[in-house]
Amino acid sequence: VQEAREKYRRCLRASPGHVWSLLRLGQLCEMENRLGQAGRYYKQAAMSEEGGVAARRALARICLARNRAGEARELLQEALRLEPNDAGTLTMLARIYSDSGEDPELAELFARQGVAASPLRKASWLELGRVYKARGKEKEARDVLVRAANL
């Protein structure tokens, strides 16, 4: 981990604002539960058009870890404005709405859109199955989970 961190830092020295180095450094900090530092890297990456969606999803993860679902939702809505068919963003929104219980129909809509956006993305299928189960749609949940298991 330390070696990777140093490589990304060297890259930033050579090219300040290098989005993927900022994102990777943020991920390393996040893995070490250094969420404040991770957030600083992600915020820098979010200022770039290239890293906007990934950085906002990462910032949303940090917000969720800190029990700030409202802020996470806002970041994910921003990410959707940048990339309306981003499966990762749609899946995260599905989870937030499903976990909160405030709008199960919207959770299902986001989960279904996540699957449609990336049909081979197992995490999206698993989330759709989870949302179906939470809504009492047992047969649909089973069918979706079988599909996910085959990916």
Side-chain angles (χ1 to χ4, degrees), residues 12 16-20 22-23 38-59 75 78-79 82:
L12 283 177
H18 185 259
V19 172
W20 300 111
L22 291 167
L23 290 171
R40 286 188 282 282
Y41 285 124
Y42 293 148
K43 284 177 185 174
Q44 275 186 271
M47 292 188 292
S48 161
E49 187 176 319
E50 182 183 3
V53 173
R56 282 170 177 78
R57 271 198 324 262
L59 284 165
L75 287 160
E78 288 176 24
L82 295 171

Side-chain angles (χ1 to χ4, degrees), residues 61-75:
R61 268 196 323 269
I62 289 175
C63 287
L64 291 173
R66 292 177 167 169
N67 295 316
R68 297 189 333 229
E71 286 179 58
R73 189 177 313 153
E74 288 174 20
L75 287 160

Side-chain angles (χ1 to χ4, degrees), residues 56 59-61 63-64 68-81 89 92-103 106 110:
R56 282 170 177 78
L59 284 165
R61 268 196 323 269
C63 287
L64 291 173
R68 297 189 333 229
E71 286 179 58
R73 189 177 313 153
E74 288 174 20
L75 287 160
L76 294 169
Q77 292 292 348
E78 288 176 24
L80 275 186
R81 282 190 285 282
T89 302
M92 285 182 76
L93 280 164
R95 170 140 318 205
I96 289 171
Y97 281 101
S98 179
D99 286 352
S100 73
E102 76 182 74
D103 197 336
L106 190 56
F110 280 130

